[in-house]
Amino acid sequence: MQKPSLTMTLTAHYSYYLEVMTETVCRRADRFLCFVQFLLGASVFADSRYGWLAGSVIALISAVQFSCKPGALAGHARLQAQRYKKLCDELPALDPAQAQTYLHKIEENDSPVNTRLCNPARLRACIALGLKKDTTLTPCEKLMAHLAGGIPQ
């Protein structure tokens, strides 16, 4: 039985790390927004002249959380990462046709992609597979990679 190609293996690992990084960024954003909401909510009770400003920021954060739903995105990305991890673990035992079918089935439910995480996820996949790192990160990608859990050296 043939093993899946290196390209397919890299694609599966890249997709796994992209979902892991997406889950981390969304989870951290959701927790940060909740923390700011609680902090500002408590400050409203402090009888300050700027209570209206705190209330406005709370309303803005609530609107962002309602429209973007970072917590729900994090949960979905976590499920996708688990599916990709299972594929990565089973990949050596699958023939290329089965692996391709399984990969396409999983890809149907992928999370929305933050393009700033694409190169960091590719680097993580290359490091995990022991391949040569073939890209450098822009400062914005480095920041996003740091927020998403970093890149091992």
Side-chain angles (χ1 to χ4, degrees):
M1 176 161 75
Q2 271 187 328
K3 286 187 172 183
S5 67
L6 181 61
T7 304
M8 186 175 299
T9 304
L10 181 63
T11 301
H13 281 80
Y14 163 76
S15 297
Y16 167 70
Y17 285 113
L18 187 60
E19 293 292 344
V20 166
M21 294 175 92
T22 299
E23 185 265 333
T24 303
V25 167
C26 289
R27 180 176 34 86
R28 288 180 176 176
D30 187 50
R31 288 183 179 168
F32 175 75
L33 291 173
C34 286
F35 172 75
V36 172
Q37 264 186 326
F38 289 135
L39 185 68
L40 291 175
S43 72
V44 169
F45 291 108
D47 196 28
S48 170
R49 292 186 329 185
Y50 301 107
W52 62 272
L53 182 61
S56 299
V57 174
I58 289 171
L60 179 67
I61 290 172
S62 296
V64 168
Q65 282 185 311
F66 181 75
S67 60
C68 296
K69 298 184 182 2
L73 285 174
H76 179 73
R78 183 182 197 111
L79 288 174
Q80 276 299 97
Q82 290 172 350
R83 291 180 188 119
Y84 278 117
K85 181 65 175 164
K86 183 178 176 187
L87 172 64
C88 290
D89 292 343
E90 294 177 358
L91 207 53
L94 298 174
D95 69 8
Q98 289 174 319
Q100 190 72 30
T101 303
Y102 194 25
L103 183 64
H104 286 312
K105 185 177 178 185
I106 295 172
E107 285 175 341
E108 291 174 1
N109 296 316
D110 273 356
S111 302
V113 175
N114 181 339
T115 56
R116 301 283 187 215
L117 291 175
C118 291
N119 281 336
R122 180 177 169 78
L123 276 178
R124 282 179 113 183
C126 288
I127 291 168
L129 294 173
L131 302 175
K132 180 182 169 226
K133 297 184 245 182
D134 59 353
T135 186
T136 57
L137 301 178
T138 65
C140 189
E141 288 173 335
K142 286 180 183 178
L143 175 65
M144 287 300 292
H146 179 71
L147 293 174
I151 295 176
Q153 298 300 324

